[in-house]
Amino acid sequence: MKGHFGIYGGQFVPETLMHPLEELDAAYSAAQTDPAFQTRLEYLFHNYSGRPTPLYNAERLAQAWGSGKIYLKREDLNHTGAHKINNCLGQGLLAQRMGKKRIIAETGAGQHGVATATVCALLGMECDVYMGEEDIRRQELNVFRMKLLGARVVPVSSGSKTLKDAINESMRDWVTNVRTTYYMLGSVLGPHPYPAMVRDFQSIIGREVRGQILEKEGRLPDVLVACVGGGSNAMGLFYTFVSDTQMRMVGVEAGGRGPALGDHAARFSGGSPGVLHGTFSYILQDEHGQIVPTHSVSAGLDYPSVGPEHATLHDTGRVQYTSINDAEALEAFTELSHLEGIIPALESAHAVAQTKKLKLPKDQIAVINLSGRGDKDVNEAMRLLGK
Amino acid sequence: MTRIEKKFKELKAANRKAFIPYITAGDPNLQTTADLILALDKAGADVIEVGVPFSDPIADGPVIQRATERALISGTTLADILRMGGEVRKKSQVPLLIMSYYNPLLRYGLENLARDAAAAGFDGILASDLTVEESGPFVDTMKKAGLNTVFLVAPTSSPERIRKIAAMSTGFLYAVSRTGVTGERQELAPDLRAFLRTLRTHTDVPIAVGFGISQPEHVQAVWQEADGAVVGSALVRAIEENAGFSDVADRVARFTLWLRGEAA
């Protein structure tokens, strides 16, 4: 059995997809050990996306909070404005290597869709992005960006009209066009090898943080904080540090409107183990095993399952998972904008809000993964903040 | 021997092929489903696939997605479906196969499911997103309860996978006729014949073909090469179109006869 993290993960898909998953697994394994592939990926990271991204000491924020040092890992400064490009560059090169000409992807907030459309433009590939109608409404700017980049945005009107339904449609497209199409899954989700592969492409975040913090502080941080939707930015930050057991790690889920089922996307406090979208993990489900609707102010966290590696990190206690509600996230969105001149994505604002709650002692150091920038959220924030 | 195994044995002895309708349980309600099973039995269904609705049916096209929504709106649960099966079993000996996505089964509990499905008189279970790699506990549990475990095999399955799947599949092997989701098609896949012949070299288990079988000619063509034909979306559409009539079950049964080439 392949691709398990403790009891979680695996491959739960229609049989038609098993052969392509085996091909993908083999192609990825070969690419991992091919220096030419790694060199090309590093070249694009540095010259196209702008890596390494800075590790910024947010002194005014720490002063306002009366806390220890707060460093922001500036993934928002990546090309396309979020960490999503790390994974898309990796998978794009892999798809090219596999001879695929057509890429499909799902998107929630639109960040993965934009990153996918960008990489498809760069590599000259056809690109269809599935996006829920509700997300299209609240992420209008990203929809236009994708179209500008040459992608087709396919509206999904089934179910809750959000990320979950966009993944359903992507999987239906993939199972139909499996011989010609590459599915560029955007998070550490889905059947093996996606959770491990996406984590590997994102783990550049944590590797850079290690070097940067040692250079600036001469020691590792005390705590890492990241928001967790599917969980790719969090895995990207955490992975390198999992065995540094003196460090705390905190994953922040969307607390939405409140703790009632249907009002949030906090899988660890409100969910239970089950199978959705090809993997066994914590999911939000009713007593009959039906997936329940989720809610979050941030489209990127609004999803009923979570990456299977997070599930095992949760059960072992290595990572502590908490949740931040919509109001707290909006407050952090405003606070970081005012104090540091950095408008965070609403997703990342959840991590900022949680770090404030930690009341970090003066002698400690925290690193927040500022996974994306908030330009895409300005319209939604205007609506919600009533300004 | 389950009713499914017995049925395929009888059909083989009579040199006949199986007609296997699929219906979504609870579409539009479970009473209709019970009526449909009895009517399909009378119309000569050899095995009936009883679909368990799931909120995220990734392997299904629009017709079965809509049926699933109707079934969930009417509040259909797996527990209710098992009870309905038990009632139907008092009146009919038609072989019944549960077809579901894995999560509702997992949530019900594999041990509970095996016990209750067998007690109700179901004959086997197919979980469409359960791969053979992940199916160890499922197969063991169902087998102990005397239930068949039917698996899907696809045109993309490698010879190695075909062998593994055929070894795990009891009752029959469900061959997916083409890549894609469930739904009606004008034509059968051009490579279907070659695929079925390859399958035949790997297994002696009966082979039934589904996905896209929606015309009498499709059924006849499939019967040339395989042991059974599964019709889902075409039938579910007939249910959708006739749901407003009090004799919906009879209407769907007549449609079934037409599909079998025995137009009534």
Side-chain angles (χ1 to χ4, degrees), chain B residues 3 13 26 39-40 52 81 83 85 88-89 119 147 161 168 174 198-199 208-210 216-217 225-226 237 248:
Chain B
R3 291 178 196 85
L40 289 168
V52 177
I81 295 167
R83 271 193 294 275
V88 166
R89 184 53 82 215
L147 294 165
R161 295 195 60 78
M168 297 287 245
Y174 189 134
T198 306
L199 282 186
V209 182
E217 309 84 74
E225 297 292 334
R237 184 191 290 280
V248 52

Side-chain angles (χ1 to χ4, degrees), chain A residues 1-2 4 9-20 22 158-159 164-165 167-169 171-173 175-179 272-278 280 283 285-292, chain B residues 52-61 65 69 72 76-79 102-104 106-108 128-135 152-158 161 164-165 176 178-181 185 191:
Chain A
M1 296 216 292
K2 273 186 159 173
H4 288 79
Q11 294 172 305
F12 295 86
V13 291
E15 172 60 22
T16 305
L17 293 179
M18 281 305 287
H19 182 65
E22 287 173 346
S158 57
K164 164 182 89 89
D165 310 286
I167 296 182
N168 289 344
E169 279 309 312
M171 291 187 87
R172 289 182 188 122
D173 183 319
V175 82
T176 305
N177 302 300
V178 63
R179 291 181 170 113
S272 52
V275 170
L276 178 67
H277 293 150
F280 182 61
I283 61 176
Q285 58 182 330
D286 69 12
E287 60 180 311
H288 305 293
Q290 307 296 344
I291 308 306
V292 299
Chain B
V52 177
F54 178 53
S55 53
D56 294 83
I58 56 161
D60 286 303
Q65 285 179 45
E69 280 173 28
L72 289 174
T76 309
T77 67
L78 179 53
Y102 196 41
N103 199 55
L106 207 53
R107 185 70 179 182
Y108 194 89
S128 51
D129 56 348
L130 182 63
T131 54
V132 284
E133 282 79 357
E134 303 286 350
S135 71
L152 299 174
V153 64
T156 51
S157 304
S158 60
R161 295 195 60 78
K164 273 197 274 187
I165 294 164
V176 175
R178 57 170 70 229
T179 61
V181 293
R185 301 289 197 285
D191 54 358

